[in-house]
Amino acid sequence: MEVTLKIDESRIITVAAYVPLLDEEFTVKLDMKQHDPNPDVLKREYEAEMQRFREVKMKAADAEGESAEELVQNVEDSVDAGGQGGCRCGERRPGCGG
């Protein structure tokens, strides 16, 4: 796996992870400015990510590799432990499951 982190002048972090087993790159942008999360936006983003996860899960099943199945299981365990994908950071913020 290859992970790349980039930070620009606006304090926006871009994280890209390439998973060779799936031949897939995953990218996310993190805005480090503080803001109150909108629950509706968080729900839409969560649903979109879960759809993407289901698609990757199907690719992993097609790859028939034990390590791919382990990665999928790790993600599923993480989502289950976080209560519908909620944050497990321990912070108490609106929209955060911690």
Side-chain angles (χ1 to χ4, degrees):
M1 180 183 310
E2 181 180 317
V3 177
T4 306
L5 297 169
K6 296 179 185 176
I7 302 175
D8 67 12
E9 306 83 36
S10 303
R11 297 184 62 187
I12 295 176
I13 299 173
T14 302
V15 181
Y18 175 71
V19 181
L21 182 65
L22 302 174
D23 191 30
E24 187 86 26
E25 181 171 277
F26 303 92
T27 304
V28 66
K29 289 190 178 195
L30 306 170
D31 187 349
M32 299 306 291
K33 298 175 188 168
Q34 290 218 281
H35 61 281
D36 292 328
N38 179 326
D40 293 329
V41 171
L42 291 175
K43 183 174 178 160
R44 279 194 309 274
E45 289 176 354
Y46 169 77
E47 290 169 354
E49 291 304 317
M50 290 307 295
Q51 177 60 37
R52 193 169 85 162
F53 173 66
R54 285 187 289 274
E55 292 168 4
V56 169
K57 186 176 174 179
M58 288 189 304
K59 282 186 179 182
D62 291 343
E64 297 179 2
E66 184 176 329
S67 59
E69 290 176 17
E70 289 174 9
L71 286 171
V72 167
Q73 187 61 51
N74 287 343
V75 171
E76 288 178 334
D77 291 346
S78 174
V79 169
D80 290 342
Q84 293 290 326
C87 174
R88 294 184 294 151
C89 66
E91 295 180 25
R92 298 288 180 204
R93 300 179 310 213
C96 179

